[in-house]
Amino acid sequence: MIKNRAELDSIREEAKNALDNSRCRILICAGTGCLAGGSELIYNRMQQLVSDNPDIEVKFAAEIAHGDGGIGVKKSGCHGFCEMGPLMRIEPAGLLYTKVSADDCEEIFEKTIKNGEVVERLLYQCDGQAYQLQNEIPFYKKQTRLVLENCGCIDAENIEEAIAKGGYGAFEKALFSMTPQEVIQVVLDSNLRGRGGGGFTTGYKWSQVAKQAEKKRYVVCNGDEGDPGAFMDRSIMEGDPHKMIEGMMIAAYAVGADEGYIYVRAEYPLAISRLKLAIKQAEERGLLGDNILGTSFSFRLHINRGAGAFVCGEGSALTASIEGNRGMPRVKPPRTVEQGLFGKPTVLNNVETYANVPMIICKGADWYKSIGPENSPGTKAFALTGSVKNTGLIEVPMGTTLREVIFDIGGGIKNDAAFKAVQIGGPSGGCLITKDLEVSLDFDSLKKMGAMIGSGGLVVMDENTCMVEVARFFMNFTQNESCGKCVPCREGTKRMLEILERIVAGNGEPEDLDMLWDLSKTITETALCGLGKSAAQPVMSTLKVFRDEYLEHVVDKKCASGNCQALRKYVINPELCKGCSKCQRNCPVGAISGKIKEPFVIDAGKCIKCGACEGSCPFKAIYIE
C-alpha cells in the first residue's frame, strides 16, 4: 500500500531500475489479434526455455548496454503491426520478429538470446530490404506513438512496469501541485478534443460538470467502440490500461467525482480482464480507493459490460445502459454534463481521450498544441484495414494526409491495385477518393468534405470494390443497430436498405436514386441522436462521388467490379475454350452446353451466377462480362 507521494516516487525508482537492469526482455504480443494467431503458445514455450536456462549469458551487439538481472518473458499489448503477427520484440536490442510461431521459439532462443544472432527469415522485409529494429520499419518510423507509446513495450499485466514508464506521475502532479481549476484550465488550453467521434472540446465538458450545483458527480469512460473494423480503444485497454485509468483519475480530481464507470462491450473479454486486473493492482497499492496517497481525494472505479449495441456509443444511451435500462438515446437538454449517469453531472469521454490527459498534465498545453493543427492538436490512433498492404493500428499527428497514412505507413494498395476510396469514420463517416488523398486528417478539414474522423476507422478500398455494395453493407449495419426509438432512423434506414438491396439484386430503377437522396436528407435532419443523424452518410457520400456506379447498376444492370452476384454475366471466350466440358460438369443447374473439343456456351437465363464454372476452367476461358 502506497501511503504518500514519497513512497510512490520510491516505487517508481525501484521499478525503473528493475527494467533497466534486466538482461533481456522478450515481449510477446498478447493483443487479441496475435492471441488468435497463437501467441499464447509462443509465450508458454519461451517461458519454458527461459526457466530451463536461467543463468545463460545473453549476447547482443557490443554497443547495446544491458544489466545483469533476469530474463523476462512478458505479455505485451498490441504492437500495432497486425498484418505481421504474431510479433515478438526483444529488448534492449529493439529487435522485432514477425509471423512467429511456437516452432520458431527454440531457434530464437539458441541463436538470438544465447548467441546474439538474428533469425533473418523472421525479420520484416520490404522491397528486398530486411529490417532488424522495430523503429526502422517504415510502418513504425513514420508514426508518432504517444498514446500507444507503451503498447507492445511493457508487460500489460504489470502495474510496476507502467509506473516505471511514468504511469501515475501526471496524477501525482495534479493531486499535489495543482488545484482542480488549474487542471481543467490546462486541459482547456491544450484544446484536446474528444477522440470518440464528435471532437467536442474536453476541457469545456469538464468545466461544465465542475460548475454544477449538484456535488455528486461521475466520470464515465466509453469503451464500447462499435464501429466495424475499429480496435483503437480495445488495444489501449489491453496494452496500457493504467494510462486510461490515470486519465479518468485526473478527470475525477478536476470535477470533484469520487466514482467512475468504464463501459466496455462484452465482445472485448481480454480488455475487460486486463482492466479488472489493473484496477485491482491500483487498489492494492492505494492508487484507487479512499484517501489516495494520504490525501482527502477518494475515487473508485467500476466496469460495466455492454451487450454490443452500436447505439450505446451515444452518451445518453450509454448511461441508460449502465443504469440497467434499455440503451436508447433521450431528448436533450438536459445534457450529460448536467444530468448524466443516475441523473447526476457526468464527464463522459472515450478511452483514447482519457489516455491523452496524463501527457498534457505532465508536459503542458503548449507542448501538446505544438503537435498537429491549432484547432485539432495532438495525435490520433487509426485502425487501418481493408485493401492496404500493412493493416494494423497506427498513431499519427493530426493533420497528417490521407496519402501519408495509406501509402507511406500502409505501404500502398494490396496487389498493387489502384486506389479507389477510403471509408473514414465508420458507419457515421463518408468516402474520400483519389482527389482527396492530400486532405489533412483533422476534425475541421474532414467536416468540410462531408466526412469525419469518427472513432478512427480507416477502410481502404481498391478498384475492384463495388461502392453500391459498400453503401448497402454500412446501411445494413446501421439499420440492424438502430434502437428504434425515433421514426426517421427506425423506418427511414429500413426503406433505404430495401432500395439498396433492390439495386444490387438488379431490380433498381433510376428514381430509386432520388428516393435514396431524399430519405438521407430527411433522416439526417430529423433523427433523434447523433448516430441517427449520421446514419445515411455513407450513402450520401457514395451517391455524390460514385453516381455513375449507381446508374450502371440501375440502368445497365451491370456491376463492373463483379461483386454484386445478381448482376454478374458469365461468358465463355470461344478463342480460349478447348471444349474440355469441365465447366459443364461443374455447373449445378445445367446452364452450360456444347460439344467436346468445341467451344461451350452459357445460357444466361439458366445461370445462377455461382461462379463454379469460372473456378473450374483450366484455361481461364470464362470471365464476367
Side-chain angles (χ1 to χ4, degrees):
M1 177 75 73
I2 304 171
K3 297 178 181 178
N4 52 53
R5 188 178 190 180
E7 289 187 11
L8 177 59
D9 292 340
S10 176
I11 287 176
R12 180 175 294 113
E13 190 64 27
E14 289 177 14
K16 189 175 184 303
N17 288 337
L19 273 185
D20 293 342
N21 195 47
S22 63
R23 273 182 291 159
C24 175
R25 299 175 70 241
I26 304 168
L27 293 151
I28 316 293
C29 178
T32 295
C34 282
L35 283 173
S39 66
E40 183 77 26
L41 296 174
I42 298 168
Y43 173 80
N44 292 336
R45 183 62 183 135
M46 291 305 293
Q47 277 277 42
Q48 182 184 352
L49 288 167
V50 169
S51 298
D52 292 344
N53 301 271
D55 300 319
I56 65 162
E57 180 184 357
V58 177
K59 293 183 180 180
F60 286 112
E63 65 270 15
I64 299 175
H66 50 278
D68 55 5
I71 300 174
V73 181
K74 309 288 185 179
K75 288 183 180 180
S76 77
C78 177
H79 294 231
F81 208 1
C82 305
E83 182 82 6
M84 293 292 130
L87 298 163
M88 179 189 294
R89 178 181 170 120
I90 300 176
E91 295 287 7
L95 182 66
L96 184 71
Y97 284 142
T98 63
K99 296 188 176 180
V100 180
S101 72
D103 294 336
D104 298 320
C105 291
E106 284 196 54
E107 184 178 3
I108 293 171
F109 192 80
E110 291 296 323
K111 285 189 176 180
T112 305
I113 306 303
K114 292 175 71 173
N115 295 307
E117 300 172 9
V118 173
V119 183
E120 295 284 341
R121 63 183 178 81
L122 296 176
L123 297 177
Y124 172 71
Q125 300 192 27
C126 180
D127 297 329
Q129 181 178 353
Y131 294 87
Q132 291 189 23
L133 304 183
Q134 178 172 324
N135 57 15
E136 291 181 353
I137 297 173
F139 177 83
Y140 290 104
K141 192 173 185 178
K142 298 188 177 184
Q143 295 185 47
T144 301
R145 295 171 75 86
L146 299 177
V147 169
L148 302 176
E149 181 181 13
N150 292 334
C151 290
C153 299
I154 64 170
D155 185 339
E157 299 179 348
N158 189 315
I159 190 173
E160 273 73 28
E161 291 204 7
I163 291 174
K165 292 289 188 177
Y168 297 100
F171 171 69
E172 176 190 352
K173 178 181 177 181
L175 187 61
F176 290 101
S177 305
M178 303 171 72
T179 65
Q181 293 74 24
E182 287 172 338
V183 172
I184 292 173
Q185 191 60 51
V186 169
V187 177
L188 266 172
D189 292 343
S190 74
N191 200 20
L192 171 64
R193 296 174 67 172
R195 277 11 186 196
F200 196 78
T201 305
T202 303
Y204 181 75
K205 186 182 290 187
W206 292 15
S207 68
Q208 293 300 296
V209 172
K211 74 177 187 179
Q212 299 300 315
E214 171 61 57
K215 296 305 177 186
K216 178 63 178 179
R217 298 151 185 180
Y218 291 98
V219 170
V220 176
C221 178
N222 180 357
D224 190 61
E225 195 171 46
D227 290 7
F231 53 97
M232 298 75 60
D233 289 349
R234 186 195 76 199
S235 296
I236 295 169
M237 290 185 286
E238 291 176 359
D240 194 7
H242 292 283
K243 183 174 287 186
M244 181 204 78
I245 290 171
E246 183 179 8
M248 294 185 70
M249 293 167 67
I250 293 169
Y253 172 71
V255 304
D258 62 0
E259 206 168 355
Y261 285 80
I262 306 171
Y263 188 87
V264 191
R265 59 195 301 110
E267 294 94 329
Y268 284 179
L270 181 60
I272 293 170
S273 172
R274 296 256 171 93
L275 283 170
K276 283 183 176 179
L277 179 60
I279 291 171
K280 180 183 177 183
Q281 291 174 342
E283 289 175 340
E284 290 173 347
R285 287 154 183 79
L287 293 170
L288 281 175
D290 297 327
N291 304 117
I292 298 172
L293 297 179
T295 69
S296 60
F297 176 67
S298 301
F299 184 62
R300 294 192 176 275
L301 268 177
H302 313 280
I303 295 175
N304 188 281
R305 286 182 290 182
F310 181 62
V311 73
C312 285
E314 195 275 342
S316 59
L318 185 151
T319 53
S321 181
I322 293 176
E323 293 166 356
N325 300 314
R326 183 178 175 185
M328 300 174 77
R330 59 169 171 77
V331 177
K332 304 175 192 66
R335 302 202 168 272
T336 305
V337 293
E338 299 158 342
Q339 292 182 29
L341 185 61
F342 303 119
K344 305 299 182 184
T346 302
V347 168
L348 175 58
N349 291 119
N350 85 319
V351 173
E352 189 180 349
T353 308
Y354 283 122
N356 271 277
V357 171
M359 295 183 294
I360 293 170
I361 298 301
C362 278
K363 298 184 179 181
D366 290 340
W367 167 81
Y368 191 74
K369 286 192 292 186
S370 71
I371 305 166
E374 182 179 354
N375 290 328
S376 297
T379 59
K380 179 72 187 81
F382 290 97
L384 187 60
T385 60
S387 185
V388 64
K389 291 178 181 177
N390 298 328
T391 60
L393 181 67
I394 68 170
E395 184 180 357
V396 294
M398 286 281 200
T400 301
T401 67
L402 199 55
R403 183 183 298 279
E404 290 174 292
V405 168
I406 295 173
F407 291 93
D408 293 346
I409 297 173
I413 309 303
K414 278 183 179 177
N415 302 318
D416 295 320
F419 169 79
K420 186 171 186 177
V422 59
Q423 175 74 16
I424 183 168
S428 302
C431 277
L432 299 176
I433 56 176
T434 303
K435 70 178 181 65
D436 304 320
L437 282 172
E438 305 306 328
V439 67
S440 169
L441 292 177
D442 62 73
F443 293 107
D444 301 328
S445 298
L446 288 173
K447 187 175 181 181
K448 290 176 184 176
M449 305 189 74
M452 63 187 296
I453 284 181
S455 62
L458 279 173
V459 183
V460 180
M461 293 165 276
D462 64 23
E463 58 190 326
N464 301 309
T465 305
C466 173
M467 301 311 297
V468 182
E469 170 56 26
V470 168
R472 189 210 63 80
F473 169 83
F474 281 110
M475 185 51 62
N476 181 62
F477 175 86
T478 304
Q479 205 284 316
N480 285 336
E481 293 293 337
S482 173
C483 75
K485 185 171 186 177
C486 71
V487 172
C489 184
R490 182 182 71 239
E491 299 299 326
T493 57
K494 190 173 184 179
R495 298 288 87 79
M496 288 183 71
L497 178 61
E498 289 171 353
I499 293 171
L500 288 166
E501 287 180 336
R502 250 194 346 258
I503 292 174
V504 298
N507 300 317
E509 300 294 338
E511 53 265 28
D512 286 337
L513 306 189
D514 294 329
M515 180 62 72
L516 278 175
W517 187 258
D518 290 343
L519 282 169
S520 296
K521 288 178 65 178
T522 301
I523 295 168
T524 301
E525 292 170 3
T526 60
L528 173 63
C529 75
L531 297 180
K533 290 180 184 298
S534 59
Q537 190 60 38
V539 177
M540 294 181 80
S541 64
T542 51
L543 269 172
K544 282 180 183 177
V545 295
F546 294 104
R547 192 174 185 86
D548 287 348
E549 281 196 33
Y550 280 89
L551 289 171
E552 179 186 61
H553 281 65
V554 300
V555 176
D556 301 330
K557 306 300 181 185
K558 292 173 70 176
C559 174
S561 68
N563 284 286
C564 297
Q565 185 172 329
L567 297 177
R568 294 173 184 168
K569 183 180 179 182
Y570 287 93
V571 178
I572 298 177
N573 185 338
E575 294 182 4
L576 296 178
C577 180
K578 305 300 181 183
C580 70
S581 80
K582 199 168 185 180
C583 57
Q584 183 187 50
R585 284 178 277 132
N586 279 277
C587 180
V589 292
I592 302 175
S593 60
K595 295 180 180 180
I596 298 296
K597 295 186 179 181
E598 293 183 13
F600 279 65
V601 293
I602 300 174
D603 184 339
K606 291 182 179 179
C607 179
I608 60 171
K609 289 97 171 173
C610 67
C613 57
E614 183 185 27
S616 63
C617 179
F619 307 105
K620 304 205 180 294
I622 302 175
Y623 63 96
I624 300 174
E625 187 176 63

